[in-house]
Amino acid sequence: MAIERTLSIIKPDATNRNLTGKINAKFEEAGLRIVAQKRIHLTKAQAGKFYEVHAERPFYDELCDFMASAPVVVQVLEGEGAIAKNREVMGATNPADAAPGTIRAEFAQSVGENSVHGSDAPETAAAEIAYFFSGLELVG
Ligand code: GDP
């Protein structure tokens, strides 16, 4: 399988509870390398642009408010099949459905406040990485 890069976000519910290190340990234990990482506080407009694809969904406004409610950690994870691997490590969107041992099973608080984001395909990974990082910040 090819080496890929994927965009990950540790969401406000997790940064609020000081879980960055525990979540990063899950990525590293799964063989994903954190090749770029920064802590930022999104504006609601920046969160809205990132989640534009969900603009018509009933939870969009709540999601944007949540993502702008506290700092997030945005990061690029690299590894073999990193996009699918990260989705596996994250677990299902709703923590009630997430497999044991996944980040969302262990840490998520609800379907909305679910601790992490991960890109879902190569095209979205490339666009999402470019939204937050310049080429110079990706140091492999
Ligand atoms: P993901 O790829 O597993 O993150 O899931 P989606 O792309 O379907 O949804 C994006 C994000 O929107 C999720 O991670 C949640 O934070 C949020 N979300 C999804 N469904 C709901 C919902 O029913 N209610 C609320 N409040 N938020 C939701």
Side-chain angles (χ1 to χ4, degrees), residues 3-63:
I3 300 289
E4 293 176 335
R5 286 178 171 173
T6 190
L7 190 278
S8 166
I9 305 178
I10 301 179
K11 294 183 179 182
D13 68 285
T15 61
N16 277 338
R17 288 176 291 146
N18 219 16
L19 292 170
T20 300
K22 285 190 173 143
I23 290 173
N24 279 347
K26 294 274 196 194
F27 296 139
E28 293 184 342
E29 280 159 17
L32 292 163
R33 298 180 70 81
I34 302 164
V35 298
Q37 175 168 260
K38 59 190 172 190
R39 185 175 172 97
I40 58 175
H41 195 146
L42 292 170
T43 64
K44 187 172 177 181
Q46 289 167 339
K49 178 94 184 129
F50 180 75
Y51 276 119
E52 210 167 32
V53 64
H54 293 307
E56 302 307 318
R57 310 279 285 274
F59 56 80
Y60 179 66
D61 195 57
E62 191 183 328
L63 174 61

Side-chain angles (χ1 to χ4, degrees), residues 6-14 23 27 32 42 47 50-54 63 66-67 72-77 82-83 86-87 89-91 93 103-104 108 111-121 124-129 131-132:
T6 190
L7 190 278
S8 166
I9 305 178
I10 301 179
K11 294 183 179 182
D13 68 285
I23 290 173
F27 296 139
L32 292 163
L42 292 170
F50 180 75
Y51 276 119
E52 210 167 32
V53 64
H54 293 307
L63 174 61
F66 165 59
M67 291 300 288
V72 296
V73 176
V74 293
Q75 46 194 189
V76 179
L77 307 180
I83 296 166
N86 182 39
R87 300 284 301 183
V89 174
M90 288 163 60
T93 309
I103 291 169
R104 283 167 166 170
V111 66
E113 303 200 3
N114 60 2
S115 303
V116 280
H117 165 85
S119 308
D120 62 3
T124 45
E128 289 176 1
I129 289 170
Y131 188 66
F132 289 111

